[in-house]
Amino acid sequence: MFSSLSEKLQDVFKRLRGKGKLTEKDIKDAMKEVKLALLEADVNYKVVKDFINTVTQKAVGEEVLESLTPAQQVIKIVYDEMVRLLGGSDTKLTFSPSGFSIYMMVGLQGSGKTTTAGKLAGLLKKQGKNPLLVACDIYRPAAIKQLEVVAQKVGVKCFADYNSKDAVKIAKEGIEFAKASRCDVAIVDTAGRLHINQELMDELVSIKNAIKPTEILLVLDAMTGQDAVNVATAFNEQLGIDGIIMTKLDGDTRGGAALSVKAITGKPIKFAGVGEKMEDLEAFHPDRMASRILGMGDILTLIEKAQEAIDQKKAEELEKKLRSMQFTLEDFLDQLKQIKKMGPLSQIISMIPGIKLKGDVDFDAGEKELKKIEAIINSMTKEERQDPSIINSSRKRRIAMGSGTTVQDVNRLLKQFEDMKRMMKQFSNPNFAKKGKFKFPFM
């Protein structure tokens, strides 16, 4: 996410930190590099111009130049301005005071609107709501079926009418059905087009007037850069949107759309799509996103993900086992599954402050290795997981054949597991620090 932009900005700030005292020229030179990085990231030119002018004006002040840590002061100014650019503060969904909220999803074809409608329904269900999805895309082949499938995946109801060709009628009937079914949220998935046209806008305006939505949410593809900003401007002018959901943000290395859209339209980004799974929709936090872009990590989101993925009871049980040296491959497999729930390795590592990844890091190899370990442990019997010492040569051959790996892979895992147990024993010893360095297994 924003890796290209992040890398360039971190390089600029690294050079600034290397200078004990900063001059006005140093700051202006650094701002030229920041400007170039933002333009290359496809950020809107006017937005970049205003951003650089504001940062430069604040950074060349006497307070900054004469301070003991001028580079840190400049980075703080850039961070604050980037937070402002991304929206300033968190903007949450507005719920209707009546207790029944309607969200109208709009956007172009290919932006991920239908899937995002399902993700939003799943997120609201986790928050204790009872949402219903309404299929109003009567033009795209299999759009209604797709919405029914995503509704099933997240465990919510879906209202569809395969016979009607009147989107406004379907929307109104869907809202009535939601109320009759005692749902407190209706998410209306509308039709998109390959490009903006008046016919599309007229239909959306008619649906808006008929159902009077609590909020109109525009779904934008982050990877389309400036096109996404133009789409947002057109939809806002003709329809009046309330918020934006940025999809495919995990695959956007530049970040131009996310950094431009709030400044140009005045409408906040409310959610970010960060993966293909149905749970990969996050509330958008401008401060956390700015922190990630500037290489400061995002420890709060990491903690939230850990709290969602890790079972507290199991964690306490595991702690007891670790203390009493009763940790087994069964427990290790359980931990592996919980880590996988937190998301891809690349996403987790990008949230850890202080880790800078340069070049093409092969995270796929790491993911494959985790899958291989999981397959090997799954091919073991319960007794073998509880006590790996009973695994002899014939058992190793059977495990390798069952997991689609080699005997060498099985041997490597067993050795790493023994190394890890040995290391845990050293940690449990109060004097372990005096014994010097040791190598961490699985690293």
Side-chain angles (χ1 to χ4, degrees), residues 80-117:
D80 289 342
E81 281 306 304
M82 198 162 275
V83 171
R84 185 187 62 80
L85 204 61
L86 288 163
S89 57
D90 301 355
T91 310
K92 296 180 180 177
L93 274 184
T94 304
F95 292 103
S96 172
S98 68
F100 181 76
S101 305
I102 303 168
Y103 301 108
M104 183 174 162
M105 310 290 283
V106 299
L108 295 184
Q109 269 185 28
S111 60
K113 181 164 42 64
T114 301
T115 306
T116 302

Side-chain angles (χ1 to χ4, degrees), residues 115-157:
T115 306
T116 302
K119 287 181 179 181
L120 181 61
L123 189 69
L124 292 174
K125 188 186 176 188
K126 279 184 188 173
Q127 294 173 4
K129 299 290 180 184
N130 182 19
L132 171 90
L133 289 165
V134 182
C136 289
D137 187 350
I138 54 175
Y139 306 104
R140 183 167 62 87
I144 297 172
K145 184 65 184 173
Q146 185 190 351
L147 193 68
E148 287 179 331
V149 169
V150 296
Q152 195 175 3
K153 278 185 182 177
V154 296
V156 301
K157 292 177 184 174

Side-chain angles (χ1 to χ4, degrees), residues 220-236:
L220 284 179
D221 181 349
M223 295 177 75
T224 56
Q226 284 306 295
D227 280 347
V229 179
N230 297 334
V231 169
T233 304
F235 270 90
N236 189 43

Side-chain angles (χ1 to χ4, degrees), residues 162-288:
Y162 282 90
N163 300 316
S164 178
K165 293 295 175 190
D166 185 347
V168 178
K169 180 172 171 282
I170 295 170
K172 287 166 77 175
E173 287 176 356
I175 300 303
E176 292 306 314
F177 179 79
K179 290 176 179 175
S181 304
R182 296 190 176 179
C183 294
D184 49 13
V185 171
I187 299 169
V188 181
D189 179 36
T190 63
R193 298 285 191 282
L194 292 173
H195 54 84
I196 295 165
N197 61 34
Q198 201 52 49
E199 186 188 356
L200 165 69
M201 288 300 176
D202 289 344
E203 181 178 278
L204 294 176
V205 169
S206 298
I207 293 173
K208 176 189 174 182
N209 293 336
I211 63 173
K212 295 180 172 52
T214 312
E215 283 196 354
I216 297 174
L217 300 172
L218 173 65
V219 181
L220 284 179
D221 181 349
M223 295 177 75
T224 56
Q226 284 306 295
D227 280 347
V229 179
N230 297 334
V231 169
T233 304
F235 270 90
N236 189 43
E237 284 173 357
Q238 297 198 50
L239 201 60
I241 60 172
D242 298 289
I244 293 159
I245 300 177
M246 295 293 280
T247 62
K248 306 175 191 175
L249 212 58
D250 56 315
D252 182 22
T253 61
R254 299 184 301 171
L259 285 163
S260 306
V261 74
K262 172 66 168 69
I264 297 295
T265 64
K267 302 300 177 181
I269 302 171
K270 297 203 172 190
F271 294 98
V274 292
E276 293 177 3
K277 294 177 184 173
M278 295 310 293
E279 59 269 22
D280 290 338
L281 185 72
E282 296 176 355
F284 188 82
H285 303 283
D287 54 342
R288 300 185 194 181

Side-chain angles (χ1 to χ4, degrees), residues 419-420 422-429 431-441 443:
D419 287 348
M420 187 167 68
R422 204 176 300 119
M423 186 187 74
M424 286 170 182
K425 194 173 183 180
Q426 286 177 306
F427 271 122
S428 63
N429 181 351
N431 300 315
F432 81 93
K434 296 175 184 176
K435 295 180 183 179
K437 295 178 181 178
F438 33 64
K439 186 183 174 185
F440 282 77
M443 297 296 279

Side-chain angles (χ1 to χ4, degrees), residues 394-409:
S394 63
R395 286 176 185 256
K396 285 175 185 175
R397 284 196 296 273
R398 192 205 76 242
I399 292 164
M401 200 176 286
S403 59
T405 58
T406 64
V407 172
Q408 287 87 346
D409 290 326

